[in-house]
Amino acid sequence: MTKAVLPESLMPTHWYNLAADFPEPMPPHLHPGTGEPLAPEDMTPLFATGLVEQEFSRERYIEIPEPVRDIYRLWRPSPLARAPRLERALGTSARIYFKNESVSPIGSHKPNTSIAQAYYNRVDGITKLTTETGAGQWGASLAFAGQFFDQEVEVWQVRASYDSKPYRRMLMHVYGATVHPSPSDLTEAGRAMLAKDPDTPGSLGMAVSEAIEVAVGTEGARYSLGSVLNHVMLHQTIIGQEAIRQLEMFGEDAGPDIVIGCAGGGSNLAGLSFPFIGANIRGETAARILAVEPARCPSLTKGEYRYDHGDVAGLTPLLKMHTLGRDFVPDPIHAGGLRYHAMAPMVSHAVETGLMEARSITQEEAFAAGILFARTEGTVPAPESNHAIAAAVAEARRHTGEPGSGPVILIGLSGNGFLDLPAYDQFL
Amino acid sequence: MTKAVLPESLMPTHWYNLAADFPEPMPPHLHPGTGEPLAPEDMTPLFATGLVEQEFSRERYIEIPEPVRDIYRLWRPSPLARAPRLERALGTSARIYFKNESVSPIGSHKPNTSIAQAYYNRVDGITKLTTETGAGQWGASLAFAGQFFDQEVEVWQVRASYDSKPYRRMLMHVYGATVHPSPSDLTEAGRAMLAKDPDTPGSLGMAVSEAIEVAVGTEGARYSLGSVLNHVMLHQTIIGQEAIRQLEMFGEDAGPDIVIGCAGGGSNLAGLSFPFIGANIRGETAARILAVEPARCPSLTKGEYRYDHGDVAGLTPLLKMHTLGRDFVPDPIHAGGLRYHAMAPMVSHAVETGLMEARSITQEEAFAAGILFARTEGTVPAPESNHAIAAAVAEARRHTGEPGSGPVILIGLSGNGFLDLPAYDQFL
């Protein structure tokens, strides 16, 4: 068997909520004005009722609504494959597997949550969603999701990416979304920013402010976020739940020895690893969980664990997380999805309480690993995924016995690199 | 069920050779010098022994070597999905299905033959393959295949595409291939062309000449072709064989009423439709088979059925096919894979003997259909595939009864449009 493909009938019917199983409860989100624990009603102006419930939920399993599963089935369950050619190239005794989220129509894991978010907003009668995007993965995923649930989608894309990375903007247009470079002259925040610096390349923080301003000021509109918050982590857990069943199909009933995911905001890593962390807590498995981030944006490995805002302007709730400070501006590395100043509170809490480890990888290591992966297993990985692959390569190289006799390494392949080829070109 | 996914264990083990079942035998290829029927030994300087055998074979089923199946399993069997949202958008009674070849690591059907060609060349001890490419789909697929079978891959890419469509060139680089703009100063043919016109944008015909010249002049090297020839059609028939089994999984035991594929050189269409044509000939099914080509490159619908060369310079064998003449220069339409002056001899013979129909589609119809498909079923189709989708849309609109009560339409989705987004952008 090369890859384990679950039939649709075995696709998970529930998301898994790690908040139910944390041995120590997570610190609450705090109200930015009062500093008191946030109440659900503080979030409902911006987020759908169903999503706010999930943000605060301690329920272990939350049913995936059938209309969401219906769209998931366009590409899910996603395959989990053994990587025998990569193993041979490394001369490792490890058995390496990868969970392949690159097969979604967008080419990444992001639609797992964009579909759910568009659905819950339609349930509330919302007809328009606004969001920000950097390189465009998240904006494209929300544009894709909006069309299934009658949501007009309006995206503010960081000006520098809008100008230099036109393909994902074009993808958003194909799905019928409106895309503006940010800062724009459509919002007060944007006009103020442009007045200060007409040639600014923009930033995610500024784009967030514009998207929120328009959502708040438009009847029937809300804002949508692609990572960081608890409900986003929740939606991604379908990844790890499928992976558990697929490893069993390979006869790996003891589960993986190590689970490795790349981490920017944290949603891909959480989606892959939280079901395994749950199994660890229940004593069913004893997998090491490894979060891998870029050396140039090292929130988990170099950041402080404290309350901070999710955006530059300080409009979001205060979240307890590993942060480099909301003013931190990362170098323009190629892994656009890993350029965030902080880490999701759930992932941060998992690291802080010893449920997960973290390490960082340089761009050079990451791309070298990605090219090795493409030349052995065929798929060109997203630059973000390359960080997880590089950490797996380093791990596998430590095990040099009889082929197949070593540990089981599971990699999260969060996406493909079709629209990131210029980054590879620059590396080569 | 949204999509039928065959387990790997049910992946076809043999290719299907329609030449065994043609009610009237195909006209033979002719030697370009003598005008006599071509002998296998005439082809072996350029093509692997195993491929030449297949070119002349009348065997009905030819086993797929295990090393080829091993690589196929990286993405095969590919899914076959129902398109219920497209059906609803059209208000049709037809049941529309699509066979999704876009899930390959290259994003199209081309690796089905590049893998086989790289394998048979390695069996012969070959270590280097040369080829030409236009937009880059075929060059990228051969680069992808070469790495699995120790083949150095050298590609001549039409200068205009080399300059204007850098992403697939970058993809070839990731897979370790060498890519030259054509005409180049590396070959006699190229130098002659450049001497005549230093600013020429190049052409596929010129790139073929360069690739052949280098293959012939290099020890241990051969040339590789991505469409047109019989053995290429053969390798693609895994598509249609899978589709037959997958329609049965949907309970469509009577098979499709109409099978629709886009046709440039003909390999995608042949791969999807030949197993159905075989079933038609055996009386098991009564499916209409429809070849769809661009109105601006109408070899099947406007060309002559006669012997012609496959390249501009007249170096290839004479092939009996529908041709616009080897000097025909199509308009620069976006569907780069459909810009060929002629049609594969096997497809031409199928049309000529009434086993298949042909029609043409304008670019505007094609892109409108592709955008409708993306907004209903999620995947952005390759511009080539849009032609098949447009014909299916026109067909489906003629059936307006009770939803689901109409005919079964099967579309070949030959690839995705990730690297063709600028074409969509121009249309929008």
Side-chain angles (χ1 to χ4, degrees), chain A residues 86 260 292 366 369-370 373 381-382 384-394 411-413:
Chain A
L86 178 61
I260 307 180
V292 190
F373 188 89
E384 291 82 3
S385 310
N386 287 345
H387 292 73
I389 296 168
V393 162
I411 302 170
L413 185 72

Side-chain angles (χ1 to χ4, degrees), chain B residues 129-133 138-139 142 153-156 207 211 223-226:
Chain B
L129 293 173
T130 69
T131 198
E132 77 290 333
T133 199
W138 169 243
L142 193 66
V153 173
E154 195 168 3
V155 182
W156 275 262
Y223 168 71
S224 183
L225 189 64

Side-chain angles (χ1 to χ4, degrees), chain B residues 341-366:
Chain B
H341 70 276
M343 186 54 63
M346 291 184 82
V347 171
S348 288
H349 185 65
V351 169
E352 203 59 23
T353 57
L355 300 171
M356 192 188 275
E357 310 162 34
R359 65 162 293 195
S360 68
I361 289 282
T362 66
Q363 291 303 286
E364 293 66 29
E365 276 177 279

Side-chain angles (χ1 to χ4, degrees), chain B residues 153-172:
Chain B
V153 173
E154 195 168 3
V155 182
W156 275 262
Q157 183 172 25
V158 175
R159 160 70 76 182
S161 296
Y162 183 93
D163 290 339
S164 70
K165 298 185 173 174
Y167 276 55
R168 285 214 182 84
R169 161 163 52 88
M170 296 171 186
L171 188 55
M172 292 185 259

Side-chain angles (χ1 to χ4, degrees), chain A residues 1-6 8 69-77 82 85 88 98 100 102-107 144 147-148 164-177 370-371 374-380 416 418-425 428, chain B residues 1-6 8 69-77 82 85 88 98 100 102-107 144 147-148 164-177 370-371 374-380 416 418-425 428:
Chain A
M1 188 163 72
T2 300
K3 59 189 180 315
V5 181
L6 281 178
E8 288 180 359
R69 276 185 265 169
D70 186 43
I71 306 297
Y72 277 180
R73 287 188 202 101
L74 288 177
W75 73 96
R76 304 207 72 88
R82 179 89 181 258
R85 293 163 203 83
R88 282 196 292 275
F98 60 98
N100 190 351
S102 81
V103 299
S104 85
I106 297 299
F144 165 78
Q147 65 195 350
F148 299 117
S164 70
K165 298 186 173 172
Y167 276 57
R168 285 215 182 84
R169 162 164 52 89
M170 295 169 185
L171 189 54
M172 292 185 261
H173 286 158
V174 169
Y175 292 127
I371 286 167
R375 290 183 182 177
T376 51
E377 298 301 331
T379 294
V380 179
N416 68 47
F418 275 135
L419 301 188
D420 304 291
L421 284 164
Y424 278 91
D425 210 46
L428 285 165
Chain B
M1 189 163 70
T2 301
K3 59 189 181 313
V5 181
L6 279 179
E8 288 181 357
R69 275 186 265 169
D70 186 43
I71 305 297
Y72 277 180
R73 288 190 201 100
L74 288 177
W75 73 96
R76 303 208 72 86
R82 179 90 182 258
R85 293 163 204 82
R88 282 196 292 274
F98 61 98
N100 189 351
S102 80
V103 299
S104 85
I106 297 300
F144 165 78
Q147 64 194 352
F148 298 117
S164 70
K165 298 185 173 174
Y167 276 55
R168 285 214 182 84
R169 161 163 52 88
M170 296 171 186
L171 188 55
M172 292 185 259
H173 286 157
V174 169
Y175 291 128
I371 286 166
R375 291 184 181 177
T376 51
E377 299 301 330
T379 294
V380 179
N416 68 49
F418 274 135
L419 302 189
D420 304 290
L421 284 164
Y424 278 91
D425 210 46
L428 285 165

